[in-house]
Amino acid sequence: MKTIQVIGNVGQDPKTEVDTKTGKKKCQISVGAGNGKNEDGTYKPSDWFYCTFWEKAAETIEKYVKKGHRICVHGELQISTWQRRDTGVTETSLYINNPRFELIGGAEKSEPAKTVAAVGAAPAQKAFAAQDGDPF
């Protein structure tokens, strides 16, 4: 299993719906993580990660997260490649499966950063998420 932790900005307002197969609420977001600057000072393209949250985590995302908000998402990385029908170019999509998250601030730089305990995580992960400092 490949695990990943991404800190980035939410690309659009969360899309929330009820799954027709399970009847459970789900919420989808994309998170863009920047790659810094080139030598000439221009920005490198961001990588985009797609995440689906379920039930309580979906409710929290729907209530507190908006486009541009900063978020930390961690989970299992899935890489999917496919070819565009119109051009034949191979594209890659990045998904974070079984995601857990921490809200780390709003879109406005003047808004104070706030951390909410990880939602959708196992009890040990919730306790870990509440600790200060870098675990690595």
Side-chain angles (χ1 to χ4, degrees), residues 6-16 26-34 46-53 61-62 65-74 92-97 99-103:
V6 175
I7 297 174
N9 293 351
V10 177
Q12 73 274 347
D13 286 340
K15 178 184 173 192
T16 304
K26 71 178 183 179
C27 186
Q28 298 173 316
I29 63 170
S30 60
V31 178
S46 296
D47 292 322
W48 288 94
F49 299 85
Y50 301 95
C51 310
T52 301
F53 298 92
I61 291 284
E62 178 183 37
V65 176
K66 300 292 180 225
K67 178 181 178 177
H69 282 189
R70 205 124 167 92
I71 191 169
C72 175
V73 181
H74 33 106
T92 302
S93 295
L94 304 170
Y95 299 91
I96 300 178
N97 295 325
R100 294 165 308 282
F101 69 93
E102 297 173 52
L103 306 176

Side-chain angles (χ1 to χ4, degrees), residues 11 21 25 39-40 53 56 63 71 95 116 118 121:
K21 293 180 184 176
K25 187 177 211 173
E39 289 181 15
D40 64 1
F53 298 92
K56 287 192 178 207
K63 185 174 180 180
I71 191 169
Y95 299 91
V116 175

